[in-house]
Amino acid sequence: EAQVTQNPRYLITVTGKKLTVTCSQNMNHEYMSWYRQDPGLGLRQIYYSMNVEVTDKGDVPEGYKVSRKEKRNFPLILESPSPNQTSLYFCASSLWSPTQGTQYFGPGTRLLVL
Amino acid sequence: AQSVTQLDSQVPVFEEAPVELRCNYSSSVSVYLFWYVQYPNQGLQLLLKYLSGSTLVKGINGFEAEFNKSQTSFHLRKPSVHISDTAEYFCAVIPPGGYQKVTFGTGTKLQVIP
């Protein structure tokens, strides 16, 4: 079954404590991305990756890091989380363009930073 | 640059009544247009998409949308809603360059009233 998995699904942490949210896809997609969803703001792109070792900033990259060492994995790293990073996070994967296929979303990770 | 406007943050509608969720966009280039649905505590699921060709697009669960280039709109419609359609709906635009430049609207919460 084609899927994007994220772990953990729920996370409560404190300000400044480094955390990593993992994302993995089993569809051999080149393109992966991270979004955050906030009430009234919709989804905003944090970072994306066009392929292994190729990453770039989205619209709201401040406070986040990513890496793409393997094609299937695209972890999101918060080195020093702050309360304004409390949000719902989604990972997604696809081929590069809508003409090639659909973008698949993970189930989401709900993060609370105290 | 591109933008997406979903003017209605919430739309209440009685069960079996028709519904229209509005989406307007602006872009200096031609774009691909999408509607996603997010059921409570779930990720995003593709409802339908417009890439090219016929301006009337049919999607899953009885939804359809019409691309109107002159009005830069892509409104989502369903002739008769069910309780199970209660969810949040997101319109998104993607330029020809691909998913790395996707822009989501702020979402419309559809509340179906029995």
Side-chain angles (χ1 to χ4, degrees):
Chain A
E1 179 191 354
Q3 62 180 351
V4 178
T5 57
Q6 295 178 228
N7 283 291
R9 294 287 315 277
Y10 304 92
L11 180 59
I12 301 174
T13 189
V14 295
T15 299
K17 186 176 181 181
K18 181 179 179 179
L19 66 91
T20 299
V21 184
T22 65
C23 173
S24 183
Q25 51 98 359
N26 63 359
M27 294 164 280
N28 201 38
H29 286 156
E30 291 93 355
Y31 179 80
M32 297 185 74
S33 61
W34 276 102
Y35 301 89
R36 60 177 289 173
Q37 182 182 358
D38 301 290
L41 296 178
L43 278 80
R44 294 177 292 167
Q45 188 163 257
I46 303 170
Y47 268 95
Y48 62 89
S49 169
M50 299 291 285
N51 214 325
V52 175
E53 303 291 1
V54 181
T55 63
D56 206 347
K57 297 176 181 178
D59 297 320
V60 288
E62 293 78 20
Y64 304 95
K65 284 178 58 177
V66 293
S67 69
R68 187 92 181 273
K69 293 183 170 55
E70 304 168 283
K71 198 171 187 179
R72 63 183 291 121
N73 296 322
F74 190 44
L76 179 69
I77 303 156
L78 285 71
E79 298 224 329
S80 184
S82 63
N84 64 13
Q85 293 179 297
T86 292
S87 188
L88 177 58
Y89 292 87
F90 288 103
C91 180
S93 80
S94 63
L95 297 173
W96 291 348
S97 168
T99 57
Q100 297 172 301
T102 300
Q103 189 171 38
Y104 291 83
F105 286 84
T109 295
R110 194 170 292 276
L111 172 64
L112 172 62
V113 183
L114 300 173
Chain B
Q2 62 203 26
S3 66
V4 180
T5 302
Q6 292 182 249
L7 285 173
D8 305 307
S9 59
Q10 295 190 48
V11 173
V13 61
F14 285 109
E15 192 174 17
E16 298 184 4
V19 69
E20 177 180 86
L21 306 184
R22 296 181 293 167
C23 173
N24 288 88
Y25 70 94
S26 68
S27 176
S28 56
V29 299
S30 295
V31 292
Y32 304 124
L33 295 155
F34 290 68
W35 275 100
Y36 291 90
V37 59
Q38 184 180 31
Y39 298 106
N41 298 314
Q42 295 187 27
L44 274 73
Q45 179 181 356
L46 180 65
L47 263 183
L48 50 79
K49 60 185 175 183
Y50 172 78
L51 302 183
S52 65
S54 173
T55 57
L56 182 62
V57 181
K58 293 190 184 297
I60 62 171
N61 301 338
F63 283 93
E64 64 180 32
E66 185 156 19
F67 169 57
N68 188 318
K69 188 174 182 179
S70 62
Q71 296 186 7
T72 59
S73 67
F74 191 54
H75 300 332
L76 181 70
R77 302 185 183 99
K78 186 170 182 177
S80 176
V81 296
H82 302 289
I83 291 289
S84 59
D85 293 323
T86 295
E88 190 160 18
Y89 294 79
F90 292 94
C91 181
V93 297
I94 301 172
Y99 286 111
Q100 64 268 31
K101 294 298 182 186
V102 62
T103 301
F104 284 89
T106 53
T108 298
K109 290 185 178 177
L110 175 63
Q111 183 185 4
V112 180
I113 304 164

